[in-house]
Amino acid sequence: MERESWGGKMGFWLAAAGSAIGLGNIWRFPYLTGANGGAAFVFIYLLIVLTIGFSVMLAEFAIGRHTNLNAVGAFQKLKGGPWQIAGWMGVLAGFVILSFYSVIGGWTIKYILSSFTGMISTSTNSTDYFLNFIANGPQTVLYHAIFMAITIFVVYRGVGKGIEDTCKILMPALFAILVILIIRAVTLPGALAGIDFYLNPDFSKITGKTILAALGQAFFSLSLGMGCMITYGSYIKSKKDSLPKAAAIITLLDTSAAFLAGFVIFPTVFAFGAEPGAGPGLTFITLPKVFALMPGGQVWSALFFLLLCVAALTSAISLLEVVVAYAIDNLKWPRHKAAIGIGGVIFLLGVPSALSQGAVSLNILGMSFLDLLDFISNNILLTVGGLLISLFVGWVIPDIAKKETTSHGPFAFQTIWLWICRVVAPVAIFIIILGGFGLF
Ligand code: PHE
């Protein structure tokens, strides 16, 4: 049977942007920024994205389009041996990340519905509301199941009819909702203090931990380091389409989405005197408080959580597709079996994460099960994966890499990119990981 592919360039761009733009942009980026001192964190994040992030994304696209294979198959075909480990780590990361990602995806569905049933009201304590909900085992597992079922359904339908068509509708919708919310946020009285916090850097807040957090966030947000962009790149048919251009567009879209999400959250939070450094609860606890004080708050709340849900869905699809593509290419499973079977296992793996938020006590190394998986996957699996991919392209397959990226762009482009892959990115990632763990 012929391998599936994207219908066209636009479909690929939107699907890849759909993968990149997710909870990482709208939930994680603003709370990390808030907790790490605002603009200084944003500055370091941007620096990492434009150098390392863009380069690793292009590396993944090149590997993917050249081999037309999933993450594991691609490394096997190009070199084999220990390099396969990079592919395996990617498949593992797909399992792990989606298991907890879907739990939070479930929370967003619950919050869309709850916007209309009393959650958004000045007499509701949003902290208690959130804590009660995430401690309610049956409910969190139910919403996790619903979110996972939708994800499986899209992947089951395949690359063109499922993933591409879904993203073609949802991505424009997402940007439309984002724009509406920004207009509302920046026109609130008192919004300026939020914009100031967001754009005025305080470099004294930067530590080794902050930089590791920015690196982990860059990989997570751009869907890098785990073969996701290898997989999506493997469905590109045309050898003529420019991969540097695609990587630039997707990096730009993802970064603008994160940056714009900050313009919804910080002006809103400051306008109503809430705390920007509230951590993971920023979205689920602080914003409902703020919505309760806004005229029409229920509708704004529902719209915001719909935005979050849509973003999460198009990313979850790509996480599942990494594992499904492996099962189809390497194990010769039919797509429907792969989507349902693997999706089912990931659902089960997510249940402890869903329950770890208060329903049962499940703390390891001082973190809840969900936080632990999040920590391991972002700070270790993705960063080490990114390091390996970058070394691989720079040193093992530079000729293939050059062939896949011939462009009419500036002459020095390829050379700079290859040296970033060979030296700059690996060394930076290595140092940042060690520094983040306090090792020097
Ligand atoms: N990029 C997604 C987000 O920002 C998460 C993701 C990570 C998706 C890795 C695929 C691979 O939410």
Side-chain angles (χ1 to χ4, degrees):
M1 207 174 69
E2 202 194 326
R3 200 162 181 278
E4 293 170 272
S5 58
W6 305 116
K9 196 160 64 181
M10 199 63 191
F12 159 61
W13 289 351
L14 288 178
S19 166
I21 300 170
L23 294 171
N25 305 61
I26 301 163
W27 168 67
R28 216 160 175 281
F29 176 78
Y31 90 67
L32 280 180
T33 304
N36 287 299
F41 178 83
V42 177
F43 177 78
I44 295 199
Y45 176 78
L46 286 179
L47 206 67
I48 293 178
V49 162
L50 294 179
T51 51
I52 304 178
F54 167 80
S55 301
V56 173
M57 183 178 293
L58 182 54
E60 291 205 22
F61 284 160
I63 296 176
R65 185 171 70 178
H66 183 79
T67 55
N68 286 131
L69 283 170
N70 67 89
V72 174
F75 282 101
Q76 287 174 336
K77 181 170 170 188
L78 288 170
K79 187 72 187 175
W83 286 108
Q84 288 175 54
I85 295 172
W88 286 113
M89 275 174 44
V91 171
L92 177 70
F95 267 100
V96 174
I97 298 179
L98 184 52
S99 76
F100 70 80
Y101 203 85
S102 163
V103 171
I104 301 169
W107 296 357
T108 66
I109 300 181
K110 160 79 181 177
Y111 266 58
I112 301 173
L113 304 175
S114 299
S115 298
F116 299 108
T117 57
M119 174 178 75
I120 302 301
S121 139
T122 41
S123 58
T124 304
N125 179 329
S126 68
T127 311
D128 291 347
Y129 190 92
F130 179 64
L131 294 179
N132 281 334
F133 163 58
I134 59 174
N136 183 333
Q139 275 220 27
T140 48
V141 172
L142 171 72
Y143 285 106
H144 163 49
I146 297 173
F147 187 85
M148 204 57 217
I150 304 173
T151 307
I152 292 173
F153 176 74
V154 175
V155 171
Y156 177 105
R157 308 231 329 138
V159 174
K161 282 210 184 69
I163 303 174
E164 185 171 343
D165 287 358
T166 305
C167 292
K168 270 187 180 157
I169 300 171
L170 292 187
M171 292 317 288
L174 182 133
F175 272 94
I177 301 175
L178 197 53
V179 169
I180 298 173
L181 287 168
I182 291 172
I183 295 174
R184 174 64 281 199
V186 300
T187 52
L188 286 167
L192 228 63
I195 297 176
D196 184 58
F197 169 81
Y198 191 38
L199 300 183
N200 242 333
D202 172 2
F203 284 100
S204 67
K205 294 265 171 51
I206 300 297
T207 63
K209 261 209 179 93
T210 323
I211 302 178
L212 179 61
L215 180 76
Q217 171 63 16
F219 277 100
F220 183 76
S221 186
L222 293 168
S223 305
L224 297 177
M226 57 161 289
C228 189
M229 293 305 180
I230 296 182
T231 308
Y232 272 22
S234 77
Y235 298 129
I236 306 173
K237 239 194 328 226
S238 161
K239 288 281 176 199
K240 283 207 204 83
D241 294 349
S242 162
L243 295 184
K245 186 168 163 195
I249 288 177
I250 289 144
T251 306
L252 205 75
L253 284 176
D254 184 68
T255 309
S256 349
F259 196 62
L260 291 176
F263 277 103
V264 177
I265 308 240
F266 293 113
T268 315
V269 162
F270 275 80
F272 293 94
E275 176 49 54
L282 183 63
T283 319
F284 291 96
I285 296 175
T286 312
L287 282 184
K289 271 194 196 115
V290 164
F291 289 136
L293 298 171
M294 275 165 65
Q298 298 189 340
V299 176
W300 292 111
S301 167
L303 207 59
F304 176 81
F305 287 106
L306 180 68
L307 171 77
L308 204 54
C309 183
V310 165
L313 185 66
T314 52
S315 300
I317 292 166
S318 71
L319 285 161
L320 182 55
E321 183 64 20
V322 169
V323 190
V324 164
Y326 161 73
I328 295 176
D329 292 340
N330 282 38
L331 310 178
K332 309 286 175 234
W333 285 16
R335 174 169 283 277
H336 63 91
K337 174 176 158 190
I340 296 173
I342 294 166
V345 172
I346 293 177
F347 164 72
L348 292 178
L349 187 64
V351 171
S353 282
L355 298 180
S356 73
Q357 299 300 297
V360 294
S361 166
L362 206 63
N363 280 341
I364 305 168
L365 302 173
M367 287 183 246
S368 76
F369 191 71
L370 190 155
D371 291 327
L372 182 73
L373 293 190
D374 177 287
F375 181 83
I376 295 177
S377 47
N378 287 323
N379 294 319
I380 303 173
L381 286 178
L382 298 187
T383 47
V384 175
L387 191 146
L388 294 176
I389 290 169
S390 160
L391 285 175
F392 185 76
V393 164
W395 297 104
V396 183
I397 57 158
D399 294 336
I400 291 173
K402 275 189 206 145
K403 220 173 74 200
E404 287 294 334
T405 52
T406 345
S407 64
H408 306 289
F411 164 74
F413 169 76
Q414 272 189 334
T415 318
I416 296 174
W417 171 59
L418 277 176
W419 281 103
I420 291 182
C421 290
R422 282 181 185 144
V423 180
V424 180
V427 170
I429 296 172
F430 190 69
I431 295 177
I432 294 174
I433 294 177
L434 291 187
F437 284 98
L439 292 181
F440 59 78

